[in-house]
């Protein structure tokens, strides 16, 4: 049975009640969750799981079989019994930083039109995006462009299209390393900016902030050569 992924409808849901479907060596399977499973460069969520008579930390969330989410336990942790009703709560500060970072990486794509990303990694403390970009602008230019978009307070949103619609518009895919998941018949698009003139629009399954102003000031700290044409751009959130 697929896990009901509540973060797809509301990325700001911090906790929920759920029922334990199965307990395996790989982790706990719940019928619903607010935890994002590690994919697309965004780390899996961490937090706590509690039930009548017990609680434990969730160290990570990973994709399970058939559209499920596995909640990873610390070694030697005593899990709740199958069928138990539980409350699962995010480490919200960590997740929110991931959301701010992820939206920033989409903004970075928007200031490099026509340039494909070749790799990415989102982190709470720092993130990076690789581009097929032999001669990048200086890092101060990236910082200035990103902060202009952040301060413009662009709203974000999402909509779904069919796989056939994506095939007819392949330019929507901005990454060479991560392709949109297929098989369900539809693809989720994340939009930054107004619907009629988006700043950025691309397939994505991750979590994002509601408005770019929520990101706060960012800085590009380093440009790194990772091959003849591949350039790695490192980003941090400035508190």
């Amino acid at each position: 049975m697929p896990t009901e992924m509540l973060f797809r409808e509301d990325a700001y849901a911090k906790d929920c009640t759920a029922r334990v479907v199965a307990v395996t060596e790989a982790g706990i399977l719940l019928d619903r969750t607010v935890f994002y499973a590690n994919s697309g460069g965004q780390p899996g969520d961490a937090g706590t799981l509690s039930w009548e008579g017990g609680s434990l930390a969730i160290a990570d969330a990973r994709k399970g079989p058939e559209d499920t989410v596995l909640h990873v336990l610390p070694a030697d942790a005593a899990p709740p019994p199958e069928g138990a009703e539980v409350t699962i709560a995010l480490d919200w500060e960590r997740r929110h930083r991931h959301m701010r970072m992820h939206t920033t990486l989409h903004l970075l794509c928007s200031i490099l039109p026509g340039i494909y990303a070749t790799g990415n990694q989102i982190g709470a403390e720092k993130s990076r995006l690789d581009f097929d970009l032999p001669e990048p602008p200086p890092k101060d230019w990236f910082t200035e462009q990103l902060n202009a978009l952040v301060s413009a307070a662009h709203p974000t949103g999402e909509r779904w299209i069919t796989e056939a619609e994506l095939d007819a518009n392949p330019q929507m895919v901005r990454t060479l390393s991560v392709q949109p998941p297929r098989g369900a018949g539809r693809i989720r698009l994340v939009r930054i900016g107004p619907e009629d003139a988006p700043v950025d629009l691309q397939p994505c399954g991750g979590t994002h902030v509601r408005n770019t102003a929520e990101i706060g000031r960012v800085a590009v700290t380093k440009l790194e050569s990772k091959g003849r044409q591949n350039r790695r751009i490192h980003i941090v959130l400035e508190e």
Side-chain angles (χ1 to χ4, degrees), residues 18 47 81 163 185 209:
E163 293 180 3
V209 294

Side-chain angles (χ1 to χ4, degrees), residues 55-95:
S55 65
L56 50 80
I58 300 295
D60 192 10
R62 299 175 186 168
K63 282 190 170 184
E66 299 180 358
D67 210 23
T68 57
V69 175
L70 289 168
H71 304 80
V72 181
L73 309 181
D76 302 323
E82 291 187 4
E85 184 174 281
V86 300
T87 298
I88 187 162
L90 288 170
D91 178 341
W92 174 248
E93 182 178 355
R94 177 176 178 269
R95 153 70 92 74

